[in-house]
Amino acid sequence: MKYSTIKEKIDLIKSKKISLVENVKFFLARIEEKKKLNAFNFVFEQDAISRAIEIEKKIISGKHGRLAGAVVAIKDVLALKNYPLTCSSKILRNFYSIYTATAVQKLIDEDAIIIGKTNCDEFAMGSSNENSYFGIVLNPYDESRVPGGSSGGSAVAVAADLCDFSIGTDTGGSIRQPAAFCGLFGLKPTYGRVSRYGLTAFASSFDTIGPFAKNIDDIALVLNVISGKDSKDSTSVNYPVPDYIEALNEKKKFRIGLPKEYFTEGLDNEIKIAIDNQIEKLSLEGHQIEEVSLPMTEYTIATYYILTTAEASSNLARYDGARYGYRSENSTNLEDMYLNSRSEGFGSEVKRRIMLGTYVLSSGYYDAYYRKAQKVRRLIKEDFDKVFNKVDLLITPTTPTVAFKIGEKYENPLEMYLSDIYTTSANLAGIPAINIPIAKNKDGLPIGMQVIAQQFSEEKLISFSTNFKY
Ligand code: GLN
């Protein structure tokens, strides 16, 4: 590739040093060549080429959007009008969107080229991309390993050079964890920063949309484009969006907290050493580092899996075989039609979550589980509020291990859930966090570091990330 950022690419097209059409054809050929990785559910060859012809002209004439010609892959949980929206589920395998998600529309309006929709865990439930109706996704660093999930296809699309950047979603770590496993920057914004309109709901009070890229400049640019209030999503917040590009030039020294609960047993030693090395460097460069405590950390996984399954059980009630999506043909009455459509249409992880969620919401258990978890969620948020009075940023590992083997955790859901141990807290608290790729382990597998900030402080994450340019 002759460029390393979207900005450079636009300049090269403008000066006719590269042809956008050729560039799009290059990506299409790579996608074909890397088909085995299974990163895409759908590829839009013809549309991508026609868009490239149109946008190349715009760039040369100087009248183009901020993402002109940038090739993007979109997680298949986001709506794009007249295109399939499957959420990697059998239940939606023949469903076409009737409108476009706001975040996706904003990319289109800035002249990005959508090359296809990426594979993911069914309804974004999973940490390994093994729960997909379209099959598992392979990690390009080692094809016997998972890419992480649920946005595994989006991560692989960038890591394997199948596009310039991609969009994923993060409900409990689904951008940061695959970014860590695939050696990428992946940013989960503050809840409410990016409109969720057109994102298929998993757990509505946790879901966020964000970018994957190989460099922080592209993350800043894409975040500029997709952020902001949207009248179609009442949870999007009317709060000023700073220019994240400016944050790239700020050379600040930060006060950084290391939450001691995130560096205990269970953390892979090579990951610990890699983070220790970075911390030492940061300290030498003048950042102020101190140990802090987030005492509620031990309750995050339990709280996350009670609340998200509760929300999922309610959100997924709409897939009943009656209105849209898969309908079982083997039913003689209405009740059977519901039962069979859902039994045949959903995969086993989704069913597990619906059952868990229905249980924690059922009368007699609601107070013991759901209501209690809501209270704990508040306490987790208060933990963060307290530490952010003292420090600007928190550094933690993103994942307890590097990318694990395909099949390694599939039969053991609890172990799978524990791979989200460091990421779910940011979703419980609604705060932004990023994965920064910092090293490779002895087998050449990527190691990620998570940086967390207070609500609406994405610019701090971006400015801090410039310390990790390669
Ligand atoms: N792995 C987590 C889960 O299975 C997170 C998923 C996500 O962020 N969408 O719920």
Side-chain angles (χ1 to χ4, degrees), residues 75 124-127 149-150 169-174 202 304-305 353 420:
K75 184 176 182 181
M125 297 174 189
S127 313
S150 62
T169 64
D170 192 310
T171 302
S174 280
F202 160 13
Y304 171 82
Y305 278 96
R353 307 252 181 145
D420 306 320

Side-chain angles (χ1 to χ4, degrees), residues 239-286:
Y239 193 76
V241 181
D243 183 356
Y244 298 116
I245 301 281
E246 263 170 38
L248 292 169
N249 301 320
E250 263 168 43
K251 275 275 158 237
K252 270 202 196 147
K253 298 298 168 209
F254 291 99
R255 289 172 304 166
I256 298 168
L258 305 175
K260 64 171 192 240
E261 295 80 2
Y262 285 65
F263 293 89
T264 53
E265 91 267 33
L267 174 60
D268 174 272
N269 203 38
E270 278 188 90
I271 298 182
K272 184 172 181 307
I273 292 170
I275 293 178
D276 285 347
N277 288 342
Q278 295 302 328
I279 290 166
E280 211 180 296
K281 249 200 249 163
L282 290 164
S283 160
L284 289 174
E285 284 161 10

